[in-house]
Structure formats: structure tokens, C-alpha cells
Amino acid sequence: MAQLDFGTIKAWMGASHFKTRRLKNVACEISFQVLAYNLTRAIAILGVRPLIAAMRA
């Protein structure tokens, strides 16, 4: 499995900097970006219906 790094997230999101300030807010922002990235990859690998079924189980 490939390692996800900060540069990958920044390139995928098209972001050059964070929209928030302070460590707590930046941590929350990067967490949402990682969640969105992971969900997008899961949909690409599994498909929508199997992913929804797995989340309901």
C-alpha cells in the first residue's frame, strides 16, 4: 500500500496553504482532507454500493 504524504494531499486538493490558522484548526482541516481523499480512493477501489454496504455493516 502506498504511503500517503502531505504533498500528495496538497496536490490532490490543489491547495498551496491552509485556509485556517492555529494548530488545532489546521489539524481539523487536514483531517477532513485526508478523510475526503480516503473516501475517494475507497469509492474508486470498491465502488459506491459495496462501500455503502460495508459502512452499514
Side-chain angles (χ1 to χ4, degrees):
M1 174 172 261
Q3 182 179 356
L4 177 66
D5 66 347
F6 182 69
T8 303
I9 289 287
K10 281 180 66 173
W12 181 72
M13 294 296 291
S16 61
H17 58 277
F18 290 105
K19 297 187 184 310
T20 58
R21 296 185 186 245
R22 296 193 172 89
L23 184 58
K24 180 177 138 184
N25 296 336
V26 169
C28 184
E29 184 176 343
I30 193 68
S31 294
F32 281 128
Q33 290 176 351
V34 170
L35 177 63
Y37 180 84
N38 288 337
L39 280 174
T40 302
R41 291 212 6 107
I43 290 169
I45 294 168
L46 299 175
V48 175
R49 291 183 193 273
L51 182 60
I52 291 173
M55 288 191 291
R56 286 186 176 159

Short mmCIF file of all heavy atoms in Angstrom, two decimals:
data_model
loop_
_atom_site.label_atom_id
_atom_site.label_comp_id
_atom_site.label_asym_id
_atom_site.label_seq_id
_atom_site.Cartn_x
_atom_site.Cartn_y
_atom_site.Cartn_z
N MET A 1 0.85 -1.18 0.00
CA MET A 1 0.00 0.00 0.00
C MET A 1 0.89 1.24 0.00
O MET A 1 1.87 1.33 0.73
CB MET A 1 -0.91 -0.02 1.22
CG MET A 1 -1.73 1.24 1.38
SD MET A 1 -2.94 1.12 2.68
CE MET A 1 -4.36 0.76 1.69
N ALA A 2 0.54 2.18 -0.81
CA ALA A 2 1.33 3.41 -0.91
C ALA A 2 1.13 4.27 0.32
O ALA A 2 0.06 4.30 0.92
CB ALA A 2 0.93 4.18 -2.15
N GLN A 3 2.18 4.96 0.69
CA GLN A 3 2.11 5.85 1.84
C GLN A 3 1.57 7.21 1.41
O GLN A 3 1.99 7.76 0.41
CB GLN A 3 3.49 6.03 2.46
CG GLN A 3 3.47 6.90 3.69
CD GLN A 3 4.85 7.04 4.29
OE1 GLN A 3 5.79 6.42 3.83
NE2 GLN A 3 4.96 7.86 5.31
N LEU A 4 0.60 7.69 2.12
CA LEU A 4 0.01 8.99 1.85
C LEU A 4 0.84 10.04 2.57
O LEU A 4 1.10 9.95 3.76
CB LEU A 4 -1.43 9.02 2.37
CG LEU A 4 -2.18 10.33 2.23
CD1 LEU A 4 -2.41 10.65 0.77
CD2 LEU A 4 -3.49 10.26 2.97
N ASP A 5 1.29 11.04 1.84
CA ASP A 5 2.06 12.10 2.48
C ASP A 5 1.37 13.44 2.26
O ASP A 5 0.43 13.57 1.50
CB ASP A 5 3.50 12.12 2.01
CG ASP A 5 3.65 12.47 0.54
OD1 ASP A 5 2.64 12.46 -0.19
OD2 ASP A 5 4.77 12.76 0.11
N PHE A 6 1.88 14.42 2.95
CA PHE A 6 1.28 15.75 2.92
C PHE A 6 1.29 16.34 1.51
O PHE A 6 0.33 16.97 1.09
CB PHE A 6 2.03 16.65 3.90
CG PHE A 6 1.47 18.03 3.98
CD1 PHE A 6 0.24 18.26 4.54
CD2 PHE A 6 2.18 19.10 3.48
CE1 PHE A 6 -0.29 19.53 4.62
CE2 PHE A 6 1.67 20.39 3.56
CZ PHE A 6 0.43 20.59 4.13
N GLY A 7 2.37 16.10 0.75
CA GLY A 7 2.47 16.62 -0.61
C GLY A 7 1.39 16.06 -1.53
O GLY A 7 0.85 16.75 -2.38
N THR A 8 1.06 14.78 -1.35
CA THR A 8 0.01 14.15 -2.14
C THR A 8 -1.33 14.82 -1.87
O THR A 8 -2.08 15.13 -2.80
CB THR A 8 -0.08 12.65 -1.81
OG1 THR A 8 1.18 12.04 -2.05
CG2 THR A 8 -1.14 11.97 -2.65
N ILE A 9 -1.63 15.04 -0.62
CA ILE A 9 -2.89 15.69 -0.24
C ILE A 9 -2.94 17.11 -0.82
O ILE A 9 -3.96 17.52 -1.38
CB ILE A 9 -3.05 15.75 1.29
CG1 ILE A 9 -3.32 14.37 1.85
CG2 ILE A 9 -4.18 16.68 1.70
CD1 ILE A 9 -4.69 13.82 1.56
N LYS A 10 -1.85 17.85 -0.68
CA LYS A 10 -1.83 19.23 -1.19
C LYS A 10 -2.04 19.25 -2.70
O LYS A 10 -2.81 20.07 -3.22
CB LYS A 10 -0.52 19.91 -0.83
CG LYS A 10 -0.47 20.40 0.60
CD LYS A 10 0.84 21.07 0.92
CE LYS A 10 0.97 22.35 0.13
NZ LYS A 10 2.12 23.15 0.49
N ALA A 11 -1.39 18.35 -3.41
CA ALA A 11 -1.53 18.30 -4.86
C ALA A 11 -2.94 17.89 -5.25
O ALA A 11 -3.55 18.44 -6.18
CB ALA A 11 -0.51 17.35 -5.46
N TRP A 12 -3.49 16.92 -4.55
CA TRP A 12 -4.84 16.42 -4.86
C TRP A 12 -5.90 17.48 -4.60
O TRP A 12 -6.83 17.64 -5.38
CB TRP A 12 -5.12 15.18 -4.01
CG TRP A 12 -6.45 14.57 -4.25
CD1 TRP A 12 -6.84 13.87 -5.35
CD2 TRP A 12 -7.58 14.60 -3.37
NE1 TRP A 12 -8.14 13.47 -5.21
CE2 TRP A 12 -8.62 13.90 -4.00
CE3 TRP A 12 -7.80 15.15 -2.12
CZ2 TRP A 12 -9.86 13.73 -3.41
CZ3 TRP A 12 -9.03 14.98 -1.55
CH2 TRP A 12 -10.04 14.28 -2.19
N MET A 13 -5.73 18.24 -3.52
CA MET A 13 -6.69 19.27 -3.18
C MET A 13 -6.45 20.57 -3.95
O MET A 13 -7.29 21.45 -3.96
CB MET A 13 -6.64 19.59 -1.67
CG MET A 13 -7.09 18.46 -0.77
SD MET A 13 -8.80 18.01 -0.97
CE MET A 13 -9.60 19.45 -0.31
N GLY A 14 -5.28 20.70 -4.58
CA GLY A 14 -4.96 21.93 -5.29
C GLY A 14 -4.71 23.10 -4.36
O GLY A 14 -4.87 24.25 -4.73
N ALA A 15 -4.32 22.78 -3.15
CA ALA A 15 -4.12 23.83 -2.15
C ALA A 15 -2.64 24.16 -1.99
O ALA A 15 -1.80 23.28 -2.05
CB ALA A 15 -4.68 23.37 -0.80
N SER A 16 -2.35 25.42 -1.82
CA SER A 16 -0.97 25.81 -1.57
C SER A 16 -0.74 26.15 -0.10
O SER A 16 0.38 26.18 0.36
CB SER A 16 -0.61 27.01 -2.44
OG SER A 16 -1.45 28.10 -2.12
N HIS A 17 -1.81 26.40 0.62
CA HIS A 17 -1.69 26.70 2.05
C HIS A 17 -3.03 26.40 2.73
O HIS A 17 -4.04 26.19 2.07
CB HIS A 17 -1.30 28.16 2.27
CG HIS A 17 -2.26 29.14 1.65
ND1 HIS A 17 -2.22 29.50 0.33
CD2 HIS A 17 -3.31 29.80 2.17
CE1 HIS A 17 -3.20 30.36 0.07
NE2 HIS A 17 -3.87 30.55 1.18
N PHE A 18 -3.00 26.37 4.04
CA PHE A 18 -4.22 26.11 4.80
C PHE A 18 -5.10 27.35 4.84
O PHE A 18 -4.62 28.47 4.83
CB PHE A 18 -3.88 25.67 6.23
CG PHE A 18 -3.25 24.31 6.28
CD1 PHE A 18 -1.89 24.18 6.52
CD2 PHE A 18 -4.01 23.18 6.10
CE1 PHE A 18 -1.31 22.93 6.57
CE2 PHE A 18 -3.43 21.93 6.15
CZ PHE A 18 -2.08 21.80 6.38
N LYS A 19 -6.40 27.13 4.93
CA LYS A 19 -7.34 28.24 5.00
C LYS A 19 -7.54 28.71 6.44
O LYS A 19 -8.06 29.77 6.68
CB LYS A 19 -8.67 27.83 4.40
CG LYS A 19 -8.56 27.48 2.93
CD LYS A 19 -9.93 27.25 2.33
CE LYS A 19 -9.87 26.80 0.90
NZ LYS A 19 -9.06 27.57 0.01
N THR A 20 -7.13 27.89 7.39
CA THR A 20 -7.30 28.23 8.80
C THR A 20 -5.95 28.53 9.43
O THR A 20 -4.91 28.31 8.85
CB THR A 20 -7.97 27.08 9.56
OG1 THR A 20 -7.16 25.91 9.42
CG2 THR A 20 -9.36 26.81 9.05
N ARG A 21 -6.01 29.02 10.66
CA ARG A 21 -4.80 29.30 11.44
C ARG A 21 -4.92 28.58 12.78
O ARG A 21 -5.98 28.12 13.14
CB ARG A 21 -4.64 30.80 11.66
CG ARG A 21 -4.43 31.52 10.35
CD ARG A 21 -4.16 32.98 10.59
NE ARG A 21 -4.11 33.66 9.32
CZ ARG A 21 -3.03 34.22 8.83
NH1 ARG A 21 -1.92 34.20 9.50
NH2 ARG A 21 -3.06 34.82 7.67
N ARG A 22 -3.82 28.50 13.46
CA ARG A 22 -3.69 27.82 14.75
C ARG A 22 -3.67 26.30 14.53
O ARG A 22 -4.36 25.76 13.69
CB ARG A 22 -4.78 28.21 15.73
CG ARG A 22 -4.71 29.68 16.10
CD ARG A 22 -5.58 29.97 17.30
NE ARG A 22 -5.38 31.32 17.77
CZ ARG A 22 -6.06 32.37 17.33
NH1 ARG A 22 -6.98 32.22 16.42
NH2 ARG A 22 -5.81 33.57 17.81
N LEU A 23 -2.86 25.65 15.30
CA LEU A 23 -2.60 24.22 15.13
C LEU A 23 -3.88 23.39 15.22
O LEU A 23 -4.09 22.46 14.44
CB LEU A 23 -1.58 23.75 16.16
CG LEU A 23 -1.15 22.30 16.06
CD1 LEU A 23 -0.54 22.02 14.69
CD2 LEU A 23 -0.16 21.97 17.15
N LYS A 24 -4.75 23.70 16.17
CA LYS A 24 -5.99 22.93 16.34
C LYS A 24 -6.85 23.00 15.08
O LYS A 24 -7.38 21.99 14.63
CB LYS A 24 -6.76 23.48 17.54
CG LYS A 24 -8.05 22.79 17.84
CD LYS A 24 -8.69 23.38 19.08
CE LYS A 24 -10.16 23.54 18.88
NZ LYS A 24 -10.84 24.18 19.98
N ASN A 25 -6.99 24.17 14.49
CA ASN A 25 -7.80 24.34 13.30
C ASN A 25 -7.16 23.70 12.07
O ASN A 25 -7.84 23.10 11.24
CB ASN A 25 -8.07 25.82 13.05
CG ASN A 25 -8.87 26.46 14.15
OD1 ASN A 25 -9.60 25.79 14.87
ND2 ASN A 25 -8.72 27.75 14.33
N VAL A 26 -5.85 23.82 11.96
CA VAL A 26 -5.14 23.21 10.84
C VAL A 26 -5.24 21.69 10.93
O VAL A 26 -5.43 21.01 9.93
CB VAL A 26 -3.67 23.68 10.79
CG1 VAL A 26 -2.86 22.87 9.80
CG2 VAL A 26 -3.61 25.16 10.42
N ALA A 27 -5.13 21.14 12.13
CA ALA A 27 -5.26 19.70 12.32
C ALA A 27 -6.64 19.22 11.88
O ALA A 27 -6.77 18.17 11.24
CB ALA A 27 -5.00 19.33 13.78
N CYS A 28 -7.66 19.98 12.20
CA CYS A 28 -9.02 19.64 11.78
C CYS A 28 -9.14 19.71 10.26
O CYS A 28 -9.71 18.81 9.64
CB CYS A 28 -10.01 20.58 12.45
SG CYS A 28 -11.73 20.18 12.10
N GLU A 29 -8.58 20.73 9.66
CA GLU A 29 -8.66 20.90 8.21
C GLU A 29 -7.95 19.75 7.48
O GLU A 29 -8.50 19.19 6.54
CB GLU A 29 -8.02 22.23 7.81
CG GLU A 29 -8.14 22.54 6.34
CD GLU A 29 -7.59 23.90 5.98
OE1 GLU A 29 -7.38 24.75 6.86
OE2 GLU A 29 -7.36 24.12 4.77
N ILE A 30 -6.76 19.37 7.92
CA ILE A 30 -6.05 18.28 7.26
C ILE A 30 -6.77 16.96 7.50
O ILE A 30 -6.78 16.09 6.62
CB ILE A 30 -4.56 18.21 7.69
CG1 ILE A 30 -3.76 17.30 6.76
CG2 ILE A 30 -4.40 17.75 9.10
CD1 ILE A 30 -3.60 17.78 5.37
N SER A 31 -7.42 16.80 8.65
CA SER A 31 -8.18 15.58 8.91
C SER A 31 -9.33 15.43 7.91
O SER A 31 -9.57 14.34 7.41
CB SER A 31 -8.73 15.59 10.33
OG SER A 31 -7.69 15.52 11.26
N PHE A 32 -10.02 16.52 7.62
CA PHE A 32 -11.10 16.47 6.63
C PHE A 32 -10.57 16.17 5.24
O PHE A 32 -11.17 15.43 4.47
CB PHE A 32 -11.90 17.78 6.61
CG PHE A 32 -12.88 17.89 7.73
CD1 PHE A 32 -12.90 19.02 8.55
CD2 PHE A 32 -13.81 16.90 7.97
CE1 PHE A 32 -13.81 19.13 9.58
CE2 PHE A 32 -14.73 17.00 9.01
CZ PHE A 32 -14.73 18.12 9.81
N GLN A 33 -9.40 16.73 4.91
CA GLN A 33 -8.81 16.47 3.60
C GLN A 33 -8.39 15.01 3.46
O GLN A 33 -8.60 14.39 2.42
CB GLN A 33 -7.62 17.40 3.36
CG GLN A 33 -8.02 18.84 3.17
CD GLN A 33 -6.84 19.78 3.03
OE1 GLN A 33 -5.69 19.39 3.22
NE2 GLN A 33 -7.12 21.02 2.68
N VAL A 34 -7.83 14.45 4.52
CA VAL A 34 -7.44 13.03 4.49
C VAL A 34 -8.67 12.15 4.40
O VAL A 34 -8.68 11.16 3.66
CB VAL A 34 -6.59 12.69 5.73
CG1 VAL A 34 -6.38 11.19 5.87
CG2 VAL A 34 -5.25 13.40 5.66
N LEU A 35 -9.72 12.48 5.12
CA LEU A 35 -10.97 11.72 5.05
C LEU A 35 -11.54 11.74 3.64
O LEU A 35 -11.93 10.69 3.09
CB LEU A 35 -11.99 12.27 6.04
CG LEU A 35 -13.37 11.62 6.02
CD1 LEU A 35 -13.29 10.16 6.41
CD2 LEU A 35 -14.32 12.38 6.92
N ALA A 36 -11.58 12.91 3.01
CA ALA A 36 -12.10 13.03 1.65
C ALA A 36 -11.24 12.23 0.67
O ALA A 36 -11.77 11.53 -0.21
CB ALA A 36 -12.14 14.50 1.22
N TYR A 37 -9.92 12.29 0.84
CA TYR A 37 -9.01 11.54 -0.03
C TYR A 37 -9.25 10.04 0.12
O TYR A 37 -9.35 9.31 -0.87
CB TYR A 37 -7.57 11.89 0.33
CG TYR A 37 -6.54 11.17 -0.51
CD1 TYR A 37 -6.17 11.65 -1.76
CD2 TYR A 37 -5.94 10.00 -0.06
CE1 TYR A 37 -5.23 11.00 -2.52
CE2 TYR A 37 -5.00 9.34 -0.82
CZ TYR A 37 -4.64 9.84 -2.05
OH TYR A 37 -3.72 9.18 -2.81
N ASN A 38 -9.35 9.57 1.36
CA ASN A 38 -9.55 8.14 1.62
C ASN A 38 -10.90 7.65 1.10
O ASN A 38 -11.00 6.56 0.55
CB ASN A 38 -9.40 7.83 3.10
CG ASN A 38 -7.96 7.91 3.55
OD1 ASN A 38 -7.04 7.78 2.75
ND2 ASN A 38 -7.76 8.16 4.84
N LEU A 39 -11.95 8.45 1.27
CA LEU A 39 -13.26 8.05 0.74
C LEU A 39 -13.25 7.99 -0.79
O LEU A 39 -13.82 7.07 -1.38
CB LEU A 39 -14.34 9.02 1.21
CG LEU A 39 -14.85 8.81 2.62
CD1 LEU A 39 -15.81 9.93 3.02
CD2 LEU A 39 -15.53 7.47 2.75
N THR A 40 -12.58 8.93 -1.42
CA THR A 40 -12.48 8.93 -2.87
C THR A 40 -11.75 7.69 -3.36
O THR A 40 -12.16 7.04 -4.32
CB THR A 40 -11.74 10.19 -3.36
OG1 THR A 40 -12.47 11.33 -2.90
CG2 THR A 40 -11.66 10.24 -4.87
N ARG A 41 -10.67 7.31 -2.66
CA ARG A 41 -9.93 6.11 -3.04
C ARG A 41 -10.75 4.85 -2.81
O ARG A 41 -10.73 3.92 -3.61
CB ARG A 41 -8.62 6.03 -2.28
CG ARG A 41 -7.68 7.10 -2.72
CD ARG A 41 -6.21 6.80 -2.70
NE ARG A 41 -5.77 5.48 -2.37
CZ ARG A 41 -5.27 4.62 -3.26
NH1 ARG A 41 -5.18 4.94 -4.52
NH2 ARG A 41 -4.84 3.45 -2.86
N ALA A 42 -11.48 4.80 -1.70
CA ALA A 42 -12.32 3.63 -1.41
C ALA A 42 -13.40 3.47 -2.46
O ALA A 42 -13.70 2.35 -2.89
CB ALA A 42 -12.93 3.76 -0.01
N ILE A 43 -14.00 4.58 -2.89
CA ILE A 43 -15.01 4.52 -3.95
C ILE A 43 -14.39 4.02 -5.25
O ILE A 43 -14.99 3.20 -5.96
CB ILE A 43 -15.69 5.88 -4.13
CG1 ILE A 43 -16.59 6.20 -2.93
CG2 ILE A 43 -16.50 5.92 -5.42
CD1 ILE A 43 -17.10 7.62 -2.89
N ALA A 44 -13.19 4.49 -5.56
CA ALA A 44 -12.52 4.07 -6.79
C ALA A 44 -12.17 2.58 -6.76
O ALA A 44 -12.25 1.90 -7.78
CB ALA A 44 -11.26 4.90 -7.01
N ILE A 45 -11.81 2.08 -5.59
CA ILE A 45 -11.40 0.68 -5.48
C ILE A 45 -12.60 -0.26 -5.36
O ILE A 45 -12.69 -1.26 -6.07
CB ILE A 45 -10.44 0.50 -4.29
CG1 ILE A 45 -9.14 1.25 -4.56
CG2 ILE A 45 -10.18 -0.97 -3.99
CD1 ILE A 45 -8.23 1.38 -3.35
N LEU A 46 -13.52 0.06 -4.47
CA LEU A 46 -14.65 -0.83 -4.19
C LEU A 46 -15.88 -0.55 -5.03
O LEU A 46 -16.63 -1.47 -5.35
CB LEU A 46 -15.05 -0.72 -2.71
CG LEU A 46 -14.01 -1.11 -1.68
CD1 LEU A 46 -14.53 -0.82 -0.28
CD2 LEU A 46 -13.63 -2.57 -1.83
N GLY A 47 -16.13 0.71 -5.30
CA GLY A 47 -17.39 1.12 -5.92
C GLY A 47 -18.31 1.66 -4.84
O GLY A 47 -18.13 1.42 -3.65
N VAL A 48 -19.34 2.36 -5.26
CA VAL A 48 -20.22 3.04 -4.31
C VAL A 48 -21.07 2.04 -3.52
O VAL A 48 -21.11 2.10 -2.28
CB VAL A 48 -21.13 4.05 -5.04
CG1 VAL A 48 -22.13 4.66 -4.08
CG2 VAL A 48 -20.29 5.13 -5.70
N ARG A 49 -21.74 1.13 -4.19
CA ARG A 49 -22.65 0.21 -3.48
C ARG A 49 -21.93 -0.67 -2.46
O ARG A 49 -22.39 -0.79 -1.32
CB ARG A 49 -23.43 -0.63 -4.47
CG ARG A 49 -24.43 0.17 -5.26
CD ARG A 49 -25.24 -0.73 -6.20
NE ARG A 49 -25.99 0.03 -7.18
CZ ARG A 49 -27.20 0.52 -6.96
NH1 ARG A 49 -27.77 0.32 -5.80
NH2 ARG A 49 -27.81 1.20 -7.90
N PRO A 50 -20.81 -1.31 -2.82
CA PRO A 50 -20.12 -2.12 -1.80
C PRO A 50 -19.59 -1.28 -0.63
O PRO A 50 -19.58 -1.74 0.51
CB PRO A 50 -18.95 -2.75 -2.56
CG PRO A 50 -19.36 -2.73 -3.99
CD PRO A 50 -20.21 -1.51 -4.14
N LEU A 51 -19.18 -0.06 -0.90
CA LEU A 51 -18.70 0.80 0.18
C LEU A 51 -19.84 1.15 1.13
O LEU A 51 -19.67 1.10 2.35
CB LEU A 51 -18.06 2.08 -0.37
CG LEU A 51 -17.47 3.02 0.66
CD1 LEU A 51 -16.37 2.34 1.46
CD2 LEU A 51 -16.96 4.27 0.00
N ILE A 52 -20.99 1.48 0.61
CA ILE A 52 -22.14 1.80 1.46
C ILE A 52 -22.54 0.58 2.26
O ILE A 52 -22.85 0.66 3.45
CB ILE A 52 -23.31 2.34 0.62
CG1 ILE A 52 -22.96 3.73 0.08
CG2 ILE A 52 -24.60 2.39 1.44
CD1 ILE A 52 -23.97 4.28 -0.89
N ALA A 53 -22.53 -0.59 1.63
CA ALA A 53 -22.87 -1.84 2.34
C ALA A 53 -21.87 -2.09 3.46
O ALA A 53 -22.26 -2.51 4.57
CB ALA A 53 -22.88 -3.01 1.37
N ALA A 54 -20.59 -1.85 3.22
CA ALA A 54 -19.57 -2.06 4.25
C ALA A 54 -19.76 -1.08 5.40
O ALA A 54 -19.55 -1.43 6.57
CB ALA A 54 -18.18 -1.90 3.64
N MET A 55 -20.15 0.16 5.11
CA MET A 55 -20.35 1.15 6.17
C MET A 55 -21.58 0.82 7.00
O MET A 55 -21.62 1.12 8.19
CB MET A 55 -20.47 2.55 5.59
CG MET A 55 -19.15 3.07 5.07
SD MET A 55 -19.16 4.83 4.65
CE MET A 55 -20.20 4.89 3.23
N ARG A 56 -22.57 0.18 6.41
CA ARG A 56 -23.78 -0.17 7.15
C ARG A 56 -23.58 -1.40 8.03
O ARG A 56 -24.30 -1.59 8.99
CB ARG A 56 -24.93 -0.43 6.18
CG ARG A 56 -25.46 0.83 5.57
CD ARG A 56 -26.68 0.58 4.74
NE ARG A 56 -27.19 1.86 4.25
CZ ARG A 56 -27.98 1.98 3.22
NH1 ARG A 56 -28.37 0.92 2.55
NH2 ARG A 56 -28.39 3.16 2.82
N ALA A 57 -22.62 -2.23 7.68
CA ALA A 57 -22.38 -3.47 8.43
C ALA A 57 -21.77 -3.21 9.78
O ALA A 57 -21.22 -2.24 10.08
CB ALA A 57 -21.48 -4.40 7.63
#
